[in-house]
Amino acid sequence: MTSTLSHNVFDAPEKPLVGDRPRPFGDTTAWDPMTATLIYGEHEAVLVDALTTEAEAEALAAWVALHHRDLTTIYITHGHLDHFAGLTVLKRHFPAARCVTAPGAAELAAKQPVSVYRKLLPGQLPAAITLPEAYDDDVLTLEGHELRIIEQGHTDAVDSTSLHVPSLDLVVGGDVLYNRCHQYVAELTPEILENWLAALDRLAALNPKVAVAGHKKLGAPDTPEAIDWTKRYLTDFAQLKQETSSDGELFEAMTKRYPGWAAHQSWLMFGFG
């Protein structure tokens, strides 16, 4: 007999970038606030994403331990370093947990510019970076329940994935989904935009009651409305990029259209520079 599943979301606040910072417009640059999601049954648990800094990962590990479950798996939604650098710390606390991701995401993880991240967040990353292993199946299991891996293609990152837990009416969007938080759109092209919107429609078609974004403003509810907010942000960015004549003008236009959204910094739009 299967047990009843539950979930909790760990919210990590935004982090100031105190190293060599890319193209600043406006305020001091910062890294987006982030989430990690614990899905757990009566005895076991699966953690989705591992955060970035050593301090964040230590706090996350202590939070996971408070649930008094056997952490069997850490699943990484995509290959951006900010979602898996904390694996080193988590493996220290939970050495039996397997650390996995989709094959394409594993390839991207292995190519991450760790030295760039260390310049942006000096002294904050683990000394050694643990890479997630490629996982070839499209389903994880937890006490008889399916956690379904959804291949999403190129959205925030190439070979992104989301996770669907039907028994909880839950989607963990990874960076396919943002929630009241400015998005990483430096790689956006018309083709990527089309795929990203289709990926969001894929999440909406599941009719989730809970939708957890990879990056979200602290205090924002994990509601499916975030799917529409993400779509609107993407289409607005694409429109304003056509209507403005410089990076600075585009930055100001998006700031005006989305006041109060978290961590609006120029590197999110224009890359590391």
Side-chain angles (χ1 to χ4, degrees):
M1 182 178 294
T2 57
S3 63
T4 300
L5 295 188
S6 301
H7 85 283
N8 273 334
V9 180
F10 184 96
D11 296 334
E14 63 185 64
K15 303 173 283 293
L17 302 182
V18 297
D20 295 331
R21 295 179 303 214
R23 297 193 191 99
F25 300 122
D27 297 334
T28 302
T29 53
W31 204 278
D32 274 8
M34 302 181 63
T35 68
T37 302
L38 189 71
I39 303 163
Y40 57 96
E42 186 176 352
H43 303 289
E44 298 180 343
V46 171
L47 181 66
V48 185
D49 287 335
L51 304 182
T52 313
T53 70
E54 189 144 10
E56 286 175 337
E58 287 287 0
L60 176 61
W63 176 83
V64 169
L66 288 174
H67 291 78
H68 301 289
R69 302 298 195 276
D70 179 17
L71 184 64
T72 62
T73 305
I74 304 170
Y75 179 75
I76 305 301
T77 56
H78 62 290
H80 279 164
L81 186 74
D82 56 326
H83 289 260
F84 71 84
L87 281 177
T88 300
V89 173
L90 288 160
K91 281 292 288 182
R92 187 160 65 238
H93 288 276
F94 306 102
R98 59 179 179 170
C99 306
V100 300
T101 190
E107 291 182 13
L108 179 61
K111 300 174 184 176
Q112 286 296 281
V114 178
S115 62
V116 174
Y117 284 83
R118 292 196 188 281
K119 289 180 180 179
L120 295 173
L121 298 164
Q124 297 182 61
L125 301 185
I129 300 297
T130 298
L131 294 174
E133 298 179 358
Y135 181 73
D136 292 322
D137 204 345
D138 60 0
V139 175
L140 301 166
T141 57
L142 176 59
E143 297 189 1
H145 295 268
E146 289 190 345
L147 284 59
R148 300 173 182 171
I149 298 168
I150 306 170
E151 298 277 359
Q152 299 280 44
H154 198 157
T155 59
D156 168 290
V158 67
D159 295 314
S160 295
T161 72
S162 301
L163 203 65
H164 177 219
V165 187
S167 61
L168 290 175
D169 289 321
L170 165 71
V171 293
V172 183
D175 281 8
V176 175
L177 187 61
Y178 282 67
N179 190 341
R180 296 185 180 273
C181 188
H182 290 278
Q183 299 171 207
Y184 178 68
V185 287
E187 300 176 21
L188 199 67
T189 64
E191 293 76 22
I192 293 171
L193 174 61
E194 181 179 6
N195 182 75
W196 199 337
L197 295 175
L200 290 162
D201 286 340
R202 206 171 289 123
L203 295 182
L206 297 171
N207 295 312
K209 293 180 180 178
V210 182
V212 182
H215 296 278
K216 74 167 185 175
K217 186 174 183 177
L218 289 183
D222 298 311
T223 57
E225 285 81 4
I227 298 172
D228 289 332
W229 297 337
T230 304
K231 291 180 66 175
R232 185 162 61 247
Y233 187 99
L234 289 168
T235 54
D236 284 350
F237 178 84
Q239 174 194 347
L240 290 171
K241 189 174 184 179
Q242 295 296 320
E243 296 176 356
T244 54
S245 58
S246 69
D247 287 351
E249 188 178 341
L250 174 57
F251 181 90
E252 293 301 325
M254 288 299 290
T255 300
K256 183 176 181 180
R257 188 161 295 191
Y258 291 91
W261 284 37
H264 190 181
Q265 306 302 341
S266 56
W267 73 272
L268 294 171
M269 289 185 181
F270 311 121
F272 290 105

